[in-house]
Amino acid sequence: MGQSLENMTIPKHVALILDGNGRWAKRRGLPRTMGHKQGCVTVEKTVEIAARMGIEYLTVYGFSTENWKRSTEEVGALMQLFRYYMVRLLKIATANNVRVKMIGDRRRFDRDIIEGINRLERDTKDNTGMTFVIAVNYGSRDEITRAVKRIALDCKDGNVDGENITEEMIASYLDTAGMPDPDLLIRTSGELRLSNYLLWQLAYTEIFVTDCLWPDFNQEELEKAILAYNKRERRFGGVK
Ligand code: IPE
Ligand code: IPE
Ligand code: MG
């Protein structure tokens, strides 16, 4: 770890919107898929760096429910990358004592990808280090809609009393059940929006946006975000 993080509070949960793969490739005159490939390498490195820093949860947005709108060629290339990196990720997770979890609706993926995801979760579930969460076919509105459907069914079955629904109960029906809310959100490549990411969970998260394109993201960029986070005064609606 760089000297700069001495005496700094390391956020327990960091959420990442890894954006800018396409722009990174375009600047080099390469096809967009090359940007995604390089982006996967950066994800691998980031998992190792974050685990070493002592971050407990790292949640990255890998593929949104809206990303299916992209060309068949691009979506196909992203699926191939998933297949390849799921295998590599198992090795990296094992070597770094990292537990892997996926959020989002995995049912839309091909069977082998679903099996790969299940295997990755199963084979790393007893690791005790950082939890690495990957959001795939994830959309916050979709997640909330799925949660509301399940709550409605449980009400109908008599297992839940509608009058007694609490915020904690709603959170426990979300894909992120059992995880703390993110302390810090980092978005790369400059866009100032949430793009349907963790809308419920980000209610009081500190936001850091960098112009750095995702494939160029590195330890120094992560440290900059953590330094900025340490300068923030989190009030949660109260007065300090
Ligand atoms: C992020 O990079 C990766 C995914 C959304 C899958 P983009 O592909 O969105 O890159 P830009 O935003 O077009 O540069
Ligand atoms: C958000 O990036 C989704 C992921 C990083 C997976 P997008 O590139 O899809 O978001 P928009 O289109 O700029 O809002
Ligand atoms: Mg983008």
Side-chain angles (χ1 to χ4, degrees):
M1 195 188 297
Q3 288 283 312
S4 56
L5 286 191
E6 241 172 75
N7 301 323
M8 291 285 152
T9 304
I10 301 293
K12 191 170 174 169
H13 185 172
V14 175
L16 259 171
I17 300 177
L18 47 88
D19 200 14
N21 290 349
R23 277 162 278 182
W24 182 91
K26 196 172 173 208
R27 281 189 197 167
R28 286 166 174 74
L30 297 167
R32 292 179 58 84
T33 51
M34 290 306 286
H36 295 315
K37 204 172 160 205
Q38 196 57 42
C40 287
V41 176
T42 307
V43 170
E44 284 190 356
K45 285 192 203 147
T46 308
V47 169
E48 289 185 320
I49 294 166
R52 258 203 319 270
M53 275 184 185
I55 290 170
E56 290 179 41
Y57 294 85
L58 177 70
T59 301
V60 308
Y61 206 0
F63 190 87
S64 77
T65 44
E66 287 73 36
N67 287 148
W68 297 103
K69 288 184 204 157
R70 298 188 178 190
S71 72
T72 344
E73 190 196 350
E74 182 167 348
V75 171
L78 284 165
M79 294 304 141
Q80 275 311 105
L81 282 169
F82 274 156
R83 286 190 172 89
Y84 181 69
Y85 277 92
M86 270 191 309
V87 180
R88 289 182 58 98
L89 194 56
L90 183 56
K91 287 196 189 117
I92 289 171
T94 309
N96 292 278
N97 193 22
V98 165
R99 189 156 53 124
V100 183
K101 279 177 102 160
M102 301 261 177
I103 58 170
D105 191 350
R106 64 188 71 174
R107 292 172 298 186
R108 189 160 168 189
F109 293 115
D110 286 347
R111 195 175 185 85
D112 66 306
I113 295 188
I114 298 175
E115 277 164 11
I117 293 173
N118 293 342
R119 178 166 164 236
L120 200 48
E121 287 182 334
R122 195 179 58 234
D123 291 356
T124 62
K125 75 174 188 341
D126 294 325
N127 290 346
T128 54
M130 186 179 80
T131 301
F132 176 49
V133 185
I134 312 173
V136 279
N137 190 26
Y138 177 87
S140 199
R141 289 182 171 182
D142 175 70
E143 175 192 37
I144 292 169
T145 306
R146 284 186 284 106
V148 169
K149 278 187 193 163
R150 282 172 46 226
I151 294 173
L153 281 175
D154 282 347
C155 282
K156 197 167 140 225
D157 293 344
N159 298 323
V160 169
D161 173 5
E163 286 293 331
N164 294 332
I165 293 174
T166 60
E167 292 186 6
E168 289 72 26
M169 189 190 288
I170 295 175
S172 76
Y173 278 80
L174 298 176
D175 296 348
T176 49
M179 289 165 46
D181 287 338
D183 302 294
L184 171 65
L185 169 74
I186 302 172
R187 181 164 187 148
T188 57
S189 67
E191 240 64 74
L192 301 174
R193 55 178 170 255
L194 293 178
S195 304
N196 203 11
Y197 193 41
L198 302 170
L199 301 180
W200 173 280
Q201 297 87 338
L202 294 175
Y204 272 104
T205 304
E206 295 297 327
I207 301 175
F208 181 86
V209 176
T210 167
D211 285 332
C212 172
L213 303 175
W214 176 251
D216 294 327
F217 191 83
N218 54 22
Q219 174 147 349
E220 201 187 325
E221 284 295 322
L222 181 57
E223 287 180 359
K224 266 192 233 165
I226 293 175
L227 284 172
Y229 171 79
N230 272 267
K231 293 201 179 105
R232 304 282 174 88
E233 184 187 296
R234 300 186 78 186
R235 293 197 206 99
F236 300 99
V239 180
K240 282 217 172 133

